[in-house]
Amino acid sequence: GLHALFHEKPFAGINGSGKHNNWSVGTDTGLNLFYPGKTDEARKLFVTAIACLAYGLKQHNEVVRCCVAHAGNDHRLGAQEAPPAIMSLYPGTGFEQHVDRIIAGGDLLGYKADKSTADPRASSAMPAVCGVEDRNRTAPFPFCGNRFEFRAVGSSQNC
């Protein structure tokens, strides 16, 4: 039989236990820089904050990777998911499209974080409200509407 162990990879071939840390950056006045906002000024700060996070991950990828790479965590989920060999940022498909438009010469302020609904395709179920962006469960840094999640952290790395 199996035993309940809170270890990243206690048994070969069986997914282990992981955790995630929520990352937000705010000002002393309570402004969350990872919240898309409703005004042009807030949207500009949001786009700038994501650009800074992406640049920081690019410049310091090895440091971020090393802080979660240890023997118990390195091969969690068969080394195919968390933690990956390269730490990447996943801001969501809507934001990726916005970045493509900026690269093509579009407006910096064109991104709008609108929630939507998902059709369950069942007559007995109501549409469900969806988040601003899909939450990619395998990305090390997915965007979750008003924060990023650092999903590569092992469960034994508790503060």
Side-chain angles (χ1 to χ4, degrees):
L2 296 177
H3 298 275
L5 298 175
F6 296 103
H7 187 274
E8 284 82 4
K9 190 69 178 163
F11 304 104
I14 299 175
N15 290 348
S17 175
K19 74 173 196 171
H20 62 268
N21 293 340
N22 292 315
W23 283 32
S24 290
V25 177
T27 66
D28 60 351
T29 61
L31 178 64
N32 180 354
L33 299 180
F34 289 153
Y35 176 70
K38 299 184 187 315
T39 66
D40 285 350
E41 188 65 29
R43 288 186 190 114
K44 194 181 294 184
L45 286 172
F46 171 71
V47 172
T48 304
I50 291 181
C52 291
L53 177 59
Y55 182 77
L57 283 175
K58 179 182 180 289
Q59 291 299 109
H60 304 287
N61 203 284
E62 297 85 10
V63 174
V64 175
R65 174 72 174 92
C66 286
C67 76
V68 296
H70 56 83
N73 196 33
D74 227 23
H75 293 286
R76 179 165 49 103
L77 304 178
Q80 300 302 314
E81 293 183 21
I86 298 171
M87 294 294 162
S88 61
L89 182 71
Y90 182 74
T93 55
F95 195 79
E96 285 180 356
Q97 291 168 358
H98 176 62
V99 170
D100 289 341
R101 286 190 297 270
I102 292 171
I103 291 169
D107 188 9
L108 183 66
L109 297 175
Y111 178 74
K112 295 210 181 199
D114 295 325
K115 291 189 176 188
S116 61
T117 57
D119 182 359
R121 301 184 193 270
S123 60
S124 61
M126 294 175 30
V129 176
C130 299
V132 172
E133 294 285 357
D134 60 345
R135 293 182 63 213
N136 184 321
R137 304 297 288 179
T138 61
F141 270 97
F143 178 61
C144 299
N146 64 352
R147 68 191 185 287
F148 282 85
E149 289 180 351
F150 185 28
R151 301 195 57 80
V153 182
S155 60
S156 66
Q157 293 176 286
N158 290 317
C159 298

